[in-house]
Amino acid sequence: MPTATLAQEAVVMPTGAISLLWLTVLLPFAGFLFNGILSLRRSTSKAAVSVVGPAVLIAAFAVAVAAFFQLQGLHPEAPIVLRYWTWMPVGDFQIEMALQYDQLSAIMLLVVTGVGSLIHLFSIGYMKADEGYARFFAYLNLFVAFMLVLVLGASYPVLFIGWEGVGLCSYLLIGFWFTVKPNADAGFKAFLANRIGDFGFLVAMFTLYHVAGALDFVTVNQWLLANPQLVDTGIVTTIALFFFLGCTGKSAQIPLYTWLPDAMAGPTPVSALIHAATMVTAGVYLVARSNVLFAMSEAASIVVAGVGALTALFAATIGLRQYDIKKVLAYSTVSQLGYMFIAVGTGAYVAGIFHLVTHAFFKALLFLGSGSVIHVMHEALHATHSHADAQDMRNMGGLRRWMPTTFWLMLLATLAIAGIPPFSGFFSKDEILAFAFARGEASPVFYVFYGMGLLAALLTAIYMARLMAMTFFGENRTGAAEQQHLHEAPAIMTWPLIVLGVLSVIGGAINLPHFVGGNEWLHHWLEPVTGAGHALPWVAGLHLPEGATEYALIGIAVLVGVFGLWFGMRSTLARAIPTPDAAPPERGFARVLANKYWVDEIYDRFIVRPVVGLSRGFLWKFMDKGLIDGAAVNGPAWISRHVLGKAGSLLQNGQVGLYLIFFMLGALWILRVALG
């Protein structure tokens, strides 16, 4: 079998920017404290919040950039572990509060702080009129702080702190407008769905510690590589699958994907932060970080890729018949995350991270662009006292006339997500499909996954063209009075979009394939992290197709994207788009897609209601109120009061002679006992 080695961790405490990595976590946490305190005051200075909220992220990004260039100069083959204190010293069980900085965490750090900074800047304009302005930025800062703990943690328990933290912040931000019940319910739904995934993460950690005796990444990987007999064994597969259960919750894969579309109840910058730069990418990061573990289990990897392929296709079909602009993008995110899991399940860990990075660029642009549209629509509808839905694309149309900058930038992101060259999404998505096709030679099931991914790419292009057509093309449907209030978004909201637009165009340059020069920088950069996993038997030998096969796959992918955009645009604009009030009811399969296959209703009927019924009818009314409160607690009290108390009261009748008789009987009994 091919040998796989892993370098020991760097033991010398580094100097320079890397030694300041703790600041990347502390700065946004300090912003959370500052803005959180301001949110408690009745009169809050929005100027102070507007400065501190984004500034702490920009400062963290500056540290991340400096640390990246320092790491690039060092070229370390081993991760740099920065230990601060012992967190859990229990006998032989020692968990250090430590950060691990290597090529993978460096990339994630740049994405989280960089894209997060742009989202914070955009939020200044988007949330300026909200009464909870300071509270919003406090939650947003805390969200990023926990995500940085997640990507920098040197062990599974430290990673889990960030894992749980982003789950908490998603609950707070999705339900930010909690006075509206559907918003509060959406936050609660996200919280519960993620708890199911967290159960899998915890079981995986406990099992891993039981067999390996360690939970830090360096030691666990060394233990796995030192025991090649564990390849494809039940214990490795079990641990990997339980970790993946955690990933399905955090990264919204089947069957735990339903919380993510409902997360649109939060402010649009929250949607951008969750979908593009932070929380939902945590599952993909976990698999890439644990690449040695997953590479040792072919069965677990096939499950990962299969669930990813099914999710990519399933979510893309739902996106075809959604009318809420944010819901379309939400199902798009679920689908694109499926692509990332196809990659890491195929063993193409770098391709998965590559798509994670490019997706962060174009999906943040799409969400913030939709936020600009919603912001302007809301102002126009509010000015005319209209009750129309500002997020329903059937109330839009022709907006490119009033919002040309937003239109062109969202068009760039649409071309990127549709996989049109030379935009970033083309290179990352094409690489995933090519690797899946290449894997099919050894495991034919991957040909099926490739086909599902290709079909999902076609549907992606169709629903994104439909989104652009309904929003920016055709006749304007906002109303004559509302048109007078349509305009481009303010500069503080537009400039972040321009930066993301540039990144969406050139982002693919970090990992160019052979046919355009072969600058596979990301592959070489991540080799110290993914090399050990790539060398294991099941993954070893996986290479991109070359020659005629490569060009054929590229041609098919491009044709699929171009045809999808053409068909989506043509079919949407072929007939007049009615407003929501005038729209006829959906029929046939379109009704199934519009209702999202009734998955939420199925879950409610067969899972939620039985659980609630069991909880209320049996556990609460019978067990808690009946047995515990009634029989165990109130029962003895009733007996004491109504039986023993009443019997004793019969003896208290006020007859002194009777009392004397009882006294004498008692005394005689005591004498009898005493005298034997």
Side-chain angles (χ1 to χ4, degrees), residues 66-128:
F68 170 79
F69 283 113
Q70 184 182 355
L71 186 70
Q72 193 174 38
L74 294 174
H75 300 292
E77 291 298 318
I80 298 171
V81 178
L82 303 135
R83 292 183 171 84
Y84 299 103
W85 66 85
T86 301
W87 174 26
M88 288 190 277
V90 184
D92 295 334
F93 182 71
Q94 301 282 329
I95 297 296
E96 302 284 338
M97 183 56 68
L99 304 180
Q100 177 170 313
Y101 191 63
D102 55 18
Q103 290 79 0
L104 177 58
S105 53
I107 292 293
M108 294 299 297
L109 192 62
L110 289 173
V111 171
V112 173
T113 57
V115 178
S117 296
L118 296 172
I119 294 171
H120 276 66
L121 290 170
F122 180 90
S123 300
I124 295 173
Y126 191 87
M127 298 295 293
K128 65 179 181 180

Side-chain angles (χ1 to χ4, degrees), residues 397-613:
L399 292 183
R400 61 176 176 165
R401 172 183 169 186
W402 294 276
M403 305 182 70
T405 304
T406 301
F407 161 70
W408 285 108
L409 291 170
M410 286 192 70
L411 180 61
L412 294 178
T414 298
L415 294 173
I417 195 175
I420 305 300
F423 301 96
S424 60
F426 161 74
F427 295 104
S428 56
K429 184 185 290 186
D430 180 71
E431 186 171 324
I432 291 172
L433 293 175
F435 271 124
F437 185 87
R439 174 62 68 196
E441 184 176 350
S443 302
V445 69
F446 280 89
Y447 285 133
V448 177
F449 299 160
Y450 165 79
M452 295 170 71
L454 196 64
L455 181 55
L458 172 64
L459 299 180
T460 299
I462 293 174
Y463 67 65
M464 286 307 304
R466 174 176 176 268
L467 180 150
M468 293 296 293
M470 294 187 72
T471 304
F472 294 103
F473 291 87
E475 295 295 327
N476 180 258
R477 298 177 295 279
T478 58
E482 287 78 7
Q483 288 181 16
Q484 307 303 316
H485 301 278
L486 296 176
H487 55 83
E488 187 61 82
I492 191 63
M493 297 171 64
T494 303
W495 278 105
L497 270 65
I498 294 173
V499 175
L500 290 168
V502 173
L503 293 173
S504 297
V505 174
I506 68 172
I510 63 174
N511 209 52
L512 295 175
H514 294 292
F515 75 94
V516 287
N519 179 29
E520 297 181 326
W521 175 85
L522 189 62
H523 273 277
H524 299 304
W525 174 255
L526 292 177
E527 182 63 23
V529 180
T530 61
H534 287 156
L536 287 165
W538 185 75
V539 180
L542 179 64
H543 299 291
L544 283 171
E546 297 179 355
T549 303
E550 178 185 16
Y551 289 109
L553 293 176
I554 293 169
I556 292 172
V558 173
L559 285 175
V560 162
V562 172
F563 175 77
L565 290 174
W566 172 81
F567 180 81
M569 187 71 68
R570 181 179 176 83
S571 60
T572 303
L573 297 177
R575 60 183 65 88
I577 300 172
T579 59
D581 295 336
E586 300 280 7
R587 299 185 182 278
F589 191 59
R591 180 167 174 259
V592 176
L593 297 180
N595 287 280
K596 301 158 285 188
Y597 296 95
W598 292 283
V599 172
D600 282 293
E601 289 78 5
I602 292 171
Y603 283 177
D604 182 70
R605 177 66 179 84
F606 293 102
I607 298 177
V608 176
R609 291 185 187 178
V611 170
V612 171

Side-chain angles (χ1 to χ4, degrees), residues 170-250:
S170 68
Y171 166 75
L172 296 173
L173 286 165
I174 292 168
F176 181 76
W177 292 312
F178 57 86
T179 54
V180 180
K181 190 177 185 302
N183 298 343
D185 289 344
F188 186 57
K189 183 177 181 179
F191 189 81
L192 287 181
N194 276 273
R195 297 296 72 73
I196 298 171
D198 295 346
F199 167 78
F201 194 113
L202 288 169
V203 172
M205 271 204 302
F206 297 153
T207 308
L208 182 60
Y209 181 76
H210 176 71
V211 297
L215 287 173
D216 63 285
F217 300 133
V218 172
T219 306
V220 167
N221 286 341
Q222 290 172 348
W223 175 79
L224 288 168
L225 295 173
N227 294 275
Q229 72 276 8
L230 292 172
V231 171
D232 287 329
T233 56
I235 188 65
V236 169
T237 300
T238 299
I239 294 171
L241 289 177
F242 271 112
F243 270 133
F244 182 58
L245 175 59
C247 297
T248 61
K250 198 65 66 181

Side-chain angles (χ1 to χ4, degrees), residues 245-317:
L245 175 59
C247 297
T248 61
K250 198 65 66 181
S251 294
Q253 297 294 284
I254 290 174
L256 299 178
Y257 72 93
T258 55
W259 69 268
L260 194 58
D262 285 11
M264 299 303 98
T268 302
V270 173
S271 305
L273 195 61
I274 291 177
H275 287 244
T278 57
M279 181 172 169
V280 297
T281 61
V284 180
Y285 167 77
L286 177 62
V287 177
R289 172 61 71 194
S290 308
N291 65 86
V292 175
L293 174 69
F294 281 87
M296 293 183 72
S297 175
E298 180 178 1
S301 295
I302 291 175
V303 169
V304 172
V307 170
L310 181 61
T311 305
L313 181 57
F314 183 79
T317 62

